[in-house]
């Protein structure tokens, strides 16, 4: 997952936790720090500072296409509704 993907994931996870009344505690394991680590801290702190991820283009071509992402989003949305 690229830094922007990690940022999106953390943002949605944090929003979902707050919606259900949780104060989330997150334990994270990073593969390519500092870019993913920065993206996570950016989302959790609400900062607007951005650090470009130099390997984003390499990772982007390895990610699932829009159909898979849509299916995964639907599954997560269904689980969140339980």
């Amino acid at each position: 997952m690229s830094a922007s993907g990690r940022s999106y994931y953390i943002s949605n996870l944090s929003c979902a936790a707050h919606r259900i009344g949780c104060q989330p505690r997150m334990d994270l394991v990073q593969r390519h720090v500092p870019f993913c680590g920065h993206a996570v801290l950016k989302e959790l702190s609400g900062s607007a500072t951005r650090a470009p991820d130099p390997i984003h283009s390499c990772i982007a071509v390895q990610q699932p296409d829009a159909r898979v992402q849509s299916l995964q989003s639907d599954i997560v949305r269904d689980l969140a509704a339980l």
Side-chain angles (χ1 to χ4, degrees), residues 48-72:
T49 303
R50 212 174 147 268
D53 185 350
I55 63 172
H56 173 75
S57 59
C58 295
I59 293 173
V61 297
Q62 300 171 2
Q63 300 304 305
D65 64 17
R67 287 183 6 213
V68 174
Q69 291 175 350
S70 177
L71 174 63
Q72 291 171 338

Side-chain angles (χ1 to χ4, degrees), residues 7-50:
S7 178
Y8 178 79
Y9 170 77
I10 293 297
S11 174
N12 283 299
L13 181 62
S14 183
C15 287
H18 286 290
R19 260 197 317 274
I20 62 172
C22 294
Q23 290 298 325
R25 175 177 171 241
M26 297 181 201
D27 295 318
L28 303 167
V29 176
Q30 299 297 324
R31 285 187 303 166
H32 52 280
V33 174
F35 303 102
C36 281
H38 179 273
V40 168
L41 293 174
K42 174 186 161 303
E43 286 302 324
L44 293 176
S45 69
S47 172
T49 303
R50 212 174 147 268

